[in-house]
Amino acid sequence: MSEEVEEHGIRINIKGTFHAPKKNEVMYNSEMVVNRSLVLCALAAYYESGLCTNSQVRCLDALGATGVSGLAWAKHFPKVDVVINDQSPAATERITSNAATNNLQVNITSEDVSVLLHQRPFDFVFLDCYGSSVHYLDAAFRNAPKHSMLAITSTDDSALYGKATDVTLRNYGGYVVKTSYAKELAARLVLGSVVRAAAKSNKGVEVVCCVALKSFITVMVRVLRGPAAANTCVRKIRRVIHCCVCEDRAFYPETVYPLEEPYSLLSCDCRSKSAGKLAVELGPVWCDEIFDANFCQAMLTQANNLQLSHKVISLLQTIVSEGKCKGEPGPDESVGGDKENTVSGMAEHTSAQTEKEEDDEEGEEEEKEGSQHQPCHSLEEDNDGERSPKRMKMDHPRLKSPAFYFNLHRHSPKGKF
């Protein structure tokens, strides 16, 4: 293995590094290059947006390791103030050496991440965590300025994908199981923790991008200040009812009253065909948008300007396509079946929904098959004594994009990325 690698135009000495952190050792994971590229694009888009309230964008690579991310920022954006932090003495020594090799001037600190975030405000923070990120979230929002950005990477896939339910409950305060939409569910679980941490500091967030690749999940959020923003975001954390038979799912409505028929939220009729309890409650998770199409488009533009790899550009193109796809379903509606987690599937559903509405006007009733995407229903007895779905009204607003439509696995290849 070569002792030096080049990434984003930065030469990094990786002699003696490890893929996983060890005591008194430096970590470098070559498989995270795509993630670091996306964060670089996010910083570029944020820098060009002019949303920073400070005269100079203050950036923090909170867990620097070799310093590869922070040094790339300093090289491509000389006018930003870059701080690279790592508590390990070996890591800070390696960062200093790599900065000298590339003739770059950056501020290098060796503070505890939470202490540093409490001491100083930063406009752009990258938390590249090995494991869970929840330990740093409270500190990350403590001094976060208005319209600042946080890029948070979590790699505790065992907890996020329901393999370690006790750890999931302890770290994220929720419950998840293995599902076909596990990656989006995991991203929404992380976002739920992010929103709760922000609300403690009277702040809200606007989610701009979510990415799930291999064993890590990265969420990028823009900070909104004020109790009103915090209250609005907290109300968007809800539980999910999940059918264990067909994997139909739906968000619970925003209400303080218990639902007499939780199964009425699902569009499937599995309960009428089988006895027993066939659904479980998942979450609570974030139920609002997980993409900002305009920001994702800006990231794609910056990726082309920076001449990043084809894999990164292709990934961003897919994300932009998902971010721009808008539909009628909201948090009170469910999406079932893998077919509807594709653009063509959504188009077919829209056409079918239109035909259904026309048939309803003529007084004709049609049975729904499988886990087709439908609005919320309540169960009532029909003339034959069987349980049939009937639409149930919800008083909360609909989302611009359908819940659990994106399914982050669409841009998460199984092979080597």
Side-chain angles (χ1 to χ4, degrees), residues 13 28 134 149 154 172 201 203 231 294 316 326 336 343 395:
N13 181 6
Y28 176 79
V134 295
M149 273 200 63
S154 304
Y172 300 99
S201 298
K203 296 181 178 72
N231 294 340
N294 293 331
L316 283 171
K326 302 298 180 183
V343 175
D395 56 356

Side-chain angles (χ1 to χ4, degrees), residues 46 49-58 123 146-148:
Y46 177 71
S49 69
L51 291 175
C52 180
T53 57
N54 195 45
S55 58
Q56 186 180 29
V57 179
R58 299 159 295 184
D123 302 298
K146 182 179 180 180
H147 293 158
S148 59

Side-chain angles (χ1 to χ4, degrees), residues 71-93:
L71 293 176
W73 303 347
K75 178 178 177 62
H76 292 284
F77 312 105
K79 294 184 179 181
V80 304
D81 179 20
V82 177
V83 177
I84 305 177
N85 177 75
D86 202 296
Q87 200 171 5
S88 168
T92 54
E93 182 179 347

Side-chain angles (χ1 to χ4, degrees), residues 315-376:
L315 171 62
L316 283 171
Q317 288 174 342
T318 304
I319 293 175
V320 169
S321 298
E322 292 188 341
K324 289 183 177 180
C325 179
K326 302 298 180 183
E328 293 186 357
D332 54 321
E333 297 176 323
S334 61
V335 177
D338 289 337
K339 180 180 180 181
E340 298 193 1
N341 293 319
T342 63
V343 175
S344 60
M346 176 56 67
E348 291 178 9
H349 158 69
T350 304
S351 176
Q353 189 77 358
T354 303
E355 294 177 1
K356 174 185 175 299
E357 292 175 356
E358 293 176 354
D359 292 342
D360 288 344
E361 293 177 357
E362 298 175 1
E364 298 179 2
E365 296 182 359
E366 298 179 357
E367 291 185 356
K368 306 301 178 291
E369 300 177 358
S371 55
Q372 255 185 327
H373 181 195
Q374 301 177 27
C376 297

Side-chain angles (χ1 to χ4, degrees), residues 21 57 83 97 109 146 165 251 255 259 272 317 344 349-350 397 403 417:
V57 179
V83 177
S97 174
T109 60
K146 182 179 180 180
T165 55
F251 285 115
T255 177
L259 295 182
S272 63
Q317 288 174 342
S344 60
H349 158 69
T350 304
F417 198 86

Side-chain angles (χ1 to χ4, degrees), residues 12-306:
I12 300 295
N13 181 6
I14 60 172
K15 181 180 179 181
T17 59
F18 293 85
H19 282 271
K22 294 186 178 182
K23 189 176 181 180
N24 299 325
E25 297 293 349
V26 183
M27 177 183 175
Y28 176 79
N29 190 349
S30 58
E31 295 182 353
M32 299 288 283
V33 62
V34 175
N35 186 49
R36 292 189 286 266
S37 298
L38 293 172
V39 174
L40 178 63
C41 295
L43 174 59
Y46 177 71
Y47 180 75
E48 294 294 334
S49 69
L51 291 175
C52 180
T53 57
N54 195 45
S55 58
Q56 186 180 29
V57 179
R58 299 159 295 184
C59 305
L60 172 64
D61 184 3
L63 299 165
T66 60
V68 58
S69 293
L71 293 176
W73 303 347
K75 178 178 177 62
H76 292 284
F77 312 105
K79 294 184 179 181
V80 304
D81 179 20
V82 177
V83 177
I84 305 177
N85 177 75
D86 202 296
Q87 200 171 5
S88 168
T92 54
E93 182 179 347
R94 184 65 61 89
I95 295 170
T96 304
S97 174
N98 289 331
T101 301
N102 293 275
N103 297 319
L104 295 172
Q105 297 292 329
V106 295
N107 299 317
I108 302 172
T109 60
S110 57
E111 299 281 350
D112 179 88
V113 176
S114 298
V115 173
L116 180 60
L117 289 169
H118 274 92
Q119 290 176 342
R120 300 172 54 183
F122 294 94
D123 302 298
F124 187 91
V125 177
F126 179 32
L127 287 168
D128 188 8
C129 307
Y130 184 81
S132 177
S133 59
V134 295
H135 315 297
Y136 308 110
L137 295 181
D138 288 349
F141 286 102
R142 179 64 180 86
N143 285 324
K146 182 179 180 180
H147 293 158
S148 59
M149 273 200 63
L150 274 73
I152 304 166
T153 298
S154 304
T155 59
D156 54 336
D157 53 327
S158 60
L160 292 174
Y161 296 141
K163 299 176 183 177
T165 55
D166 290 338
V167 181
T168 307
L169 181 61
R170 185 169 66 244
N171 287 345
Y172 300 99
Y175 173 72
V176 294
V177 295
K178 185 177 180 180
T179 66
S180 62
Y181 54 98
K183 292 196 173 183
E184 182 176 342
L185 186 64
R188 291 182 180 276
L189 185 67
V190 173
L191 288 170
S193 297
V194 170
V195 169
R196 284 191 292 267
K200 295 176 185 177
S201 298
N202 285 337
K203 296 181 178 72
V205 300
E206 180 183 357
V207 184
V208 296
C209 187
C210 291
V211 181
L213 291 173
K214 291 191 174 180
S215 61
F216 74 85
I217 290 178
T218 296
V219 298
M220 303 178 188
V221 299
R222 185 183 297 119
V223 178
L224 307 174
R225 292 178 66 93
N231 294 340
T232 300
C233 290
V234 167
R235 293 191 183 100
K236 295 177 182 178
I237 300 177
R238 303 180 191 172
R239 290 190 176 274
V240 179
I241 183 169
H242 166 85
C243 177
C244 298
V245 178
C246 67
E247 295 202 334
D248 189 17
R249 58 269 188 188
F251 285 115
Y252 274 79
E254 181 188 350
T255 177
V256 296
Y257 302 105
L259 295 182
E260 296 182 0
E261 285 285 353
Y263 286 93
S264 64
L265 298 174
L266 298 173
S267 60
C268 66
D269 59 349
C270 296
R271 191 189 181 200
S272 63
K273 298 178 180 178
S274 305
K277 297 180 179 180
L278 305 178
V280 293
E281 287 187 3
L282 308 180
V285 299
W286 174 252
C287 75
D288 204 1
E289 304 292 307
I290 60 174
F291 292 117
D292 182 335
N294 293 331
F295 188 85
C296 292
Q297 180 63 56
M299 288 177 61
L300 176 58
T301 301
Q302 295 299 329
N304 288 313
N305 295 340
L306 295 169

